[in-house]
């Protein structure tokens, strides 16, 4: 998908179309690679251009963006990345998801890549170090695994009677194994029984909720994953239908009707990725730009959903919330 601003020709002068084409051709081209769907990227599509603008670039004026969305289907990413490489884009912005970053890295060792994902990029081999990434990659990490313990603690505070907790992960995401281990460790420390469930397709989510009901699960934690984010309406609907209090990792879940979320300020991270992309267009080397880490985490509570589930949110928890949706 490409958004263009068209020049209206006055007077029929034949030279203007050629001039307009030459001007557009001279614009740097950004390849935007996302594991999300376009419909699930409203926040991203506002924040990323904002960061670009802060670096001096405005889409349609002095930069062009080619958007590629995998619609939550990770097997589509390699072909999308290869297409951007063939188009000789100036920068690949591999945004929203660890799989997109890995695919972009495999697709090119020459074109600069700016990522924004939940994995620790050093542990997963994306960069050499956070301060000096090296090679052709840099970006922003959400540090998703670092928030797991806090998510469980908050959920336990909200639903203290829930002793059996489910954790839903997408095994096709590189971060899933590490995040699952972190969840198991945190659950053990809190004295909770953890049931790990996997979902990488729509029907898997339905099966997972069926399994939760059979196991009498008291609450659910949804893992950090772009596919699961693309299925947020399905997850929220099933959690409400089965009366399962659910903790999400992204504000957009709570805003869409989910009970509670705790995680990185994603909008700010996407804005930072846009700024880095603009700085690279101006000549900065990605290997010299340190990987940015989150400094703000958001706790969002949906009181309307809590009421529907019959949950009374403790005053202390409400006081700590960054946003309460009523």
């Amino acid at each position: 998908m490409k958004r263009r601003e068209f020049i209206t020709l006055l007077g029929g002068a034949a030279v203007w179309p050629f001039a307009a084409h030459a001007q557009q051709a001279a614009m740097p081209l950004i390849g935007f690679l996302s594991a999300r769907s376009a419909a699930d990227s409203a926040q991203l599509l506002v924040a990323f251009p904002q960061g670009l603008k802060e670096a001096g670039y405005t889409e349609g004026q002095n930069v062009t963006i080619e958007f590629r969305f995998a619609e939550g289907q990770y097997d589509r990413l390699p072909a999308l990345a290869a297409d951007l490489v063939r188009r000789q884009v100036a920068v690949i912005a591999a945004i929203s998801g660890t799989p997109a970053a890995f695919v972009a890295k495999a697709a090119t060792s020459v074109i600069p890549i700016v990522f924004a994902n939940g994995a620790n990029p050093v542990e997963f081999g994306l960069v050499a170090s956070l301060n000096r990434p090296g090679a052709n990659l840099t970006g922003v990490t959400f540090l998703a695994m670092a928030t797991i313990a806090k998510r469980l603690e908050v959920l336990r505070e909200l639903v203290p009677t829930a002793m059996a907790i489910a954790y839903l992960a997408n095994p096709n995401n590189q971060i899933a194994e590490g995040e699952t281990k972190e969840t198991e460790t945190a659950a053990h420390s809190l004295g909770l029984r953890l049931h790990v469930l996997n979902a990488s397709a729509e029907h898997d989510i339905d099966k997972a909720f069926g399994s939760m009901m059979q196991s009498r699960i008291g609450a659910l934690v949804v893992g950090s994953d772009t596919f699961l984010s693309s299925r947020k309406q399905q997850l929220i609907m099933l959690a409400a239908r089965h009366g399962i209090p659910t903790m999400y990792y992204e504000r957009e879940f709570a805003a869409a009707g989910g009970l509670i979320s705790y995680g990185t300020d994603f909008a700010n991270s996407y804005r930072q990725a846009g700024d880095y992309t603009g700085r690279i267009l101006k000549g900065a080397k990605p290997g010299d730009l340190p990987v940015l880490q989150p400094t703000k985490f958001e706790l969002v509570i949906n009181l309307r959903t809590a009421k529907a589930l019959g949950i009374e949110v403790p005053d202390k928890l409400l006081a700590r919330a960054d946003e309460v949706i009523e």
Side-chain angles (χ1 to χ4, degrees), residues 98-119:
T98 302
F102 272 93
V103 168
K105 182 179 181 179
T108 178
S109 60
V110 177
I111 299 173
I113 298 168
V114 176
F115 57 78
N117 62 48

Side-chain angles (χ1 to χ4, degrees), residues 113 115-146 276 279 285-295:
I113 298 168
F115 57 78
N117 62 48
N120 182 318
V122 177
E123 290 181 7
F124 281 79
L126 282 174
V127 298
S129 73
L130 295 179
N131 290 332
R132 300 282 293 183
N136 62 320
L137 286 88
T138 190
V140 185
T141 175
F142 306 143
L143 292 182
M145 285 191 284
Y276 260 18
R279 290 170 65 177
K285 295 181 179 179
D288 295 336
L289 295 174
V291 175
L292 298 174
Q293 301 177 66
T295 57

Side-chain angles (χ1 to χ4, degrees), residues 142-163:
F142 306 143
L143 292 182
M145 285 191 284
T147 65
I148 279 290
K150 185 66 175 181
R151 276 187 263 168
L152 274 176
E153 289 173 10
V154 172
L155 185 60
R156 176 72 182 277
E157 186 176 353
L158 181 62
V159 195
T161 59
M163 300 305 296

Side-chain angles (χ1 to χ4, degrees), residues 59-290:
E59 184 189 359
Q61 294 183 13
N62 59 352
V63 70
T64 303
I65 306 176
E66 287 280 351
F67 293 91
R68 299 291 184 272
F69 296 95
E71 309 289 335
Q73 299 184 40
Y74 298 159
D75 57 352
R76 293 183 179 179
L77 286 168
L80 297 176
D83 179 55
L84 293 175
V85 172
R86 282 194 299 270
R87 291 175 179 269
Q88 298 182 330
V89 297
V91 184
I92 294 178
I95 306 297
S96 76
T98 302
F102 272 93
V103 168
K105 182 179 181 179
T108 178
S109 60
V110 177
I111 299 173
I113 298 168
V114 176
F115 57 78
N117 62 48
N120 182 318
V122 177
E123 290 181 7
F124 281 79
L126 282 174
V127 298
S129 73
L130 295 179
N131 290 332
R132 300 282 293 183
N136 62 320
L137 286 88
T138 190
V140 185
T141 175
F142 306 143
L143 292 182
M145 285 191 284
T147 65
I148 279 290
K150 185 66 175 181
R151 276 187 263 168
L152 274 176
E153 289 173 10
V154 172
L155 185 60
R156 176 72 182 277
E157 186 176 353
L158 181 62
V159 195
T161 59
M163 300 305 296
I165 306 290
Y167 171 72
L168 184 65
N170 179 0
N172 292 337
N173 192 330
Q174 291 89 340
I175 198 176
E177 183 179 355
E179 193 171 279
T180 299
K181 290 179 180 178
E182 289 289 332
T183 307
E184 290 172 339
T185 300
H188 179 74
S189 68
L190 292 170
L192 300 172
R193 298 191 305 275
L194 186 70
H195 296 249
V196 178
L197 300 168
N198 292 320
S200 56
E202 182 178 343
H203 63 86
D204 292 336
I205 296 175
D206 293 323
K207 290 180 181 178
F209 274 89
S211 177
M212 282 183 247
M213 296 309 295
Q214 291 177 357
S215 301
R216 297 184 178 180
I217 293 298
L220 166 66
V221 176
V222 173
S224 307
D225 178 70
T226 305
F227 163 72
L228 294 177
S229 178
S230 73
R231 302 306 307 167
K232 64 167 56 71
Q233 292 300 333
Q234 181 185 8
L235 287 164
I236 292 169
M237 179 192 69
L238 289 171
R241 178 186 299 170
H242 296 296
I244 299 178
T246 303
M247 163 66 80
Y248 304 95
Y249 68 94
E250 186 179 22
R251 177 197 174 276
E252 302 310 301
F253 280 94
L259 174 61
I260 188 169
S261 67
Y262 179 79
T264 303
D265 181 348
F266 283 88
N268 186 55
S269 295
Y270 296 145
R271 180 192 62 76
Q272 291 174 318
D275 177 66
Y276 260 18
T277 301
R279 290 170 65 177
I280 290 171
L281 289 177
K282 286 185 173 180
K285 295 181 179 179
D288 295 336
L289 295 174

Side-chain angles (χ1 to χ4, degrees), residues 7-9 12-27:
I7 298 175
T8 301
L9 301 178
V15 68
W16 285 106
F18 175 81
H21 175 76
Q23 182 182 25
Q24 185 181 51
M27 288 187 189

